[in-house]
Amino acid sequence: MEVSIDATSDRVTVRHHDDGKEKLIEEQMELPPDLANGMMVTLLKNISPDAPSMTVSMLFATPKPRLVKLVITPMGREPFSVGRASYKATRFNVKIEIGGLAGLIAPLLGKQPKDTSVWIVGGDAPGFVRSEGQFYQGGPVWRIELASPDYPRASIRP
């Protein structure tokens, strides 16, 4: 699947394959100014660990384009180490709110996307440390992390 968003013209294009045939969906959509597609880590690096929850918009292709809300909540700071150096990263919880009738029905049908956790180390040059979440609906939960940090067992979820 290939998704293209032209924010200057509010045009969304989705190319996908169905039964071996390429399909094209083009839609004119009113895109909100807080659209976070492609900027999630940059956005998280700029949120204070003490900030309250915030909500931003994201465009999902299912394959039909759909606007959803992401509720981002700082969940506290958790330790990790690199070699002998110890640090603390802020864990953010990212919850997808589908909205509308589909948002009411999704949990009943087991279609509500799972929350994603993202860890960001703060300081003068904040950086990505780790994430756990699904890449697509119904897919496995993936953990992406730096190669060398050592996490205490208590902060690793089964």
Side-chain angles (χ1 to χ4, degrees):
M1 181 179 299
E2 177 186 320
V3 180
S4 173
I5 302 169
D6 183 347
T8 59
S9 66
D10 286 347
R11 189 120 189 107
V12 177
T13 305
V14 179
R15 293 184 197 299
H16 67 101
H17 288 83
D18 188 14
D19 293 329
K21 297 177 185 172
E22 184 175 270
K23 304 278 181 162
L24 178 67
I25 300 171
E26 293 183 301
E27 284 200 21
Q28 190 74 27
M29 299 179 73
E30 188 172 328
L31 300 173
D34 67 346
L35 198 64
N37 286 68
M39 299 186 301
M40 185 53 58
V41 171
T42 301
L43 176 65
L44 293 174
K45 288 183 347 182
N46 286 284
I47 297 175
S48 168
D50 303 320
S53 290
M54 69 178 297
T55 303
V56 296
S57 300
M58 184 168 268
L59 189 128
F60 278 18
T62 60
K64 181 177 170 40
R66 168 190 297 272
L67 282 170
V68 299
K69 296 288 185 183
L70 302 180
V71 180
I72 302 168
T73 307
M75 302 299 290
R77 296 170 56 92
E78 297 180 8
F80 72 99
S81 61
V82 178
R84 294 179 188 225
S86 295
Y87 303 94
K88 287 196 176 191
T90 300
R91 180 167 64 95
F92 293 93
N93 186 70
V94 182
K95 179 176 184 57
I96 299 170
E97 289 186 351
I98 298 171
L101 182 59
L104 293 173
I105 295 172
L108 302 173
L109 299 176
K111 300 287 186 178
Q112 174 65 37
K114 293 181 180 178
D115 292 359
T116 296
S117 290
V118 181
W119 287 259
I120 301 290
V121 66
D124 291 338
F128 171 86
V129 176
R130 172 182 179 187
S131 72
E132 292 179 359
Q134 292 178 303
F135 283 156
Y136 57 91
Q137 179 60 35
V141 173
W142 285 63
R143 178 180 295 149
I144 301 169
E145 59 189 3
L146 299 176
S148 60
D150 182 30
Y151 301 95
R153 296 295 298 158
S155 73
I156 299 177
R157 290 188 274 148

